[in-house]
Amino acid sequence: MTEPVPLSPPAPPLREDLLDYTPTQRSVPLARRRAARLVSEWGQSGLAGDAALVVSELMTNALLHGSLKGRLIRVHLTLGHRTLRIEVSDPRGERLPRPRPLSEAGEQFGRGLLLVGALATRWGWEPRSVGKTVFAEWDLPTTSVVAST
């Protein structure tokens, strides 16, 4: 019997940004503007608007449904060779994200995850030891990623 071959570790990101925000309303536009600027600077200006909107939606959800007094909300952006990923982490692991059914379309609020799903290639959530991380990812054409520092 042959020994199993270990999986190779994932490639490190080309670019990465991590910042914690206080769970206040003013953090949402700060995170949105930062994401748009960074995504543009990273050579993905065509995704900057979508990334800004997704950060805004995920931050707003974290603020409304996942925040706890005295605990920060983390925004983590990574640019890999093939993927742009946005993660928003909050301390409330028991409050999981779920898109509202279209049958509730008459309501004014609750469309954020539908927007995230329409803009990103995929989205989902992952548990953390404390809280959860909601993420959105875009697949990138391999020729569009700039590897320079």
Side-chain angles (χ1 to χ4, degrees), residues 29-102:
L30 294 173
R32 180 178 57 237
R33 285 191 297 270
R34 183 179 181 90
R37 179 180 55 80
L38 288 171
V39 169
S40 288
E41 288 175 3
W42 294 349
Q44 301 300 320
S45 58
L47 290 177
D50 290 354
L53 182 54
V54 166
V55 165
S56 183
E57 293 297 336
L58 296 182
M59 277 287 292
T60 299
N61 282 353
L63 181 63
L64 294 175
H65 308 294
S67 63
L68 291 172
K69 186 175 181 173
R71 299 296 304 269
L72 300 174
I73 297 171
R74 172 167 288 176
V75 177
H76 187 194
L77 283 73
T78 55
L79 177 68
H81 291 280
R82 296 187 181 111
T83 307
L84 172 67
R85 181 176 172 108
I86 293 173
E87 300 176 350
V88 176
S89 302
D90 66 59
R92 300 279 307 267
E94 76 281 6
R95 307 257 342 239
L96 302 179
R98 68 168 184 87
R100 290 198 181 168
L102 290 175

Side-chain angles (χ1 to χ4, degrees), residues 1-5:
M1 183 169 179
T2 62
E3 291 293 317
V5 177

Side-chain angles (χ1 to χ4, degrees), residues 108-126:
Q108 181 179 1
F109 300 102
R111 300 286 156 263
L113 291 175
L114 293 174
L115 286 171
V116 171
L119 294 172
T121 305
R122 70 195 138 272
W123 76 274
W125 66 274
E126 300 166 341

